[in-house]
Amino acid sequence: MSVPQVSRGGAGDGTAPGASPGAGRTPTRRRLFDAAVTLIAEQGFSATTVDEIADRAGVAKGTVYYNFASKNVLYEELLRDGIDLLADSLRQAADSTTARGGTRIDALDAMIRAGLDFIACSPALIQLYVAELWRTNRTWRATLTSVRGRAQSVVEAVLREAVEAGELSGELDIPLTASALLGMVLVAALDWQSFQPDRSVEEVHAALSRLLQGRVGGGGQAPPA
């Protein structure tokens, strides 16, 4: 199955994904997001200073504080913005597929591909997000929980529609299945980027499609990549 590609900035360089201009996504804030996620991925949150973020973004230190009250706030907004973009790309992939007459299983498969494309464009952001899931003492924990819930709710909605349409069993544990599918994409994509970069996105998508079709959809053949 082919999935419409979502155009983003930062492809392959570990930066946060780009976005069209809008509230909270001005060019300056985008540069600060890109600089912060790259530096934090390189040397860790605690070791990264506001001066380094400003220098990497090519702005004055005061510009950082004009846009964000602190480094913690910058990172909190970075997580919110990045995962919101991921959730949007998943929803767009699902909506596009069902609009073309595809099943909800097809929509889930399209979401897998959209997730892989997104992570390929912004591996550092997703690496940071996954790492933060295991930490409970951060000031942005509530924000992280909220943005995780938004991304997961997109997957839950499609699963719920599939159950209502009779494509999936009514006994399906929707929240846990949504979490498992989202986690599968995140972890598999990070493993791909870190340890198997020679593989194409089509190969990775095909492998995850087979898991989806066999374990969730109950089918035997995965759709062609």
Side-chain angles (χ1 to χ4, degrees):
M1 168 182 292
S2 62
V3 179
Q5 300 297 304
V6 179
S7 175
R8 303 182 186 91
D13 63 1
T15 61
S20 57
R25 294 177 186 170
T26 65
T28 297
R29 287 170 70 91
R30 176 57 50 198
R31 289 202 303 275
L32 291 171
F33 281 164
D34 290 349
V37 73
T38 304
L39 284 166
I40 294 169
E42 290 174 356
Q43 57 194 33
F45 177 80
S46 297
T48 299
T49 67
V50 171
D51 291 285
E52 289 174 320
I53 293 171
D55 184 63
R56 180 69 66 93
V59 301
K61 182 177 179 179
T63 301
V64 180
Y65 288 115
Y66 177 80
N67 285 274
F68 306 99
S70 67
K71 186 177 71 170
N72 279 1
V73 171
L74 188 161
Y75 188 53
E76 183 175 356
E77 289 301 314
L78 168 64
L79 284 173
R80 189 194 309 277
D81 184 76
I83 303 306
D84 277 355
L85 287 172
L86 172 59
D88 288 343
S89 71
L90 296 178
R91 169 50 66 189
Q92 289 167 16
D95 288 348
S96 177
T97 300
T98 54
R100 295 195 305 269
T103 67
R104 275 72 176 185
I105 301 299
D106 292 333
L108 290 168
D109 186 67
M111 293 167 83
I112 288 175
R113 177 57 188 264
L116 292 173
D117 287 337
F118 185 95
I119 295 166
C121 289
S122 51
L125 172 67
I126 300 302
Q127 180 182 359
L128 293 174
Y129 168 73
V130 171
E132 289 302 320
L133 287 176
W134 299 99
R135 297 191 173 102
T136 59
N137 61 342
R138 299 295 203 189
T139 59
W140 52 77
R141 183 66 183 178
T143 294
L144 185 64
T145 300
S146 175
V147 297
R148 172 192 174 277
R150 178 164 182 231
Q152 183 168 322
S153 69
V154 173
V155 184
E156 287 182 9
V158 177
L159 288 170
R160 191 168 292 108
E161 290 168 4
V163 169
E164 292 171 354
E167 296 176 23
L168 294 175
S169 169
E171 298 179 355
L172 186 74
D173 187 322
I174 291 176
L176 189 58
T177 302
S179 179
L181 287 173
L182 189 59
M184 175 184 73
V185 173
L186 294 177
V187 174
L190 288 177
D191 184 86
W192 161 45
Q193 293 283 307
S194 299
F195 303 111
Q196 305 179 65
D198 54 313
R199 286 181 176 270
S200 68
V201 66
E202 288 77 19
E203 285 183 279
V204 180
H205 176 219
L208 297 187
S209 288
R210 293 186 188 99
L211 286 175
L212 171 70
Q213 295 292 326
R215 301 302 181 187
V216 177
Q221 296 293 324

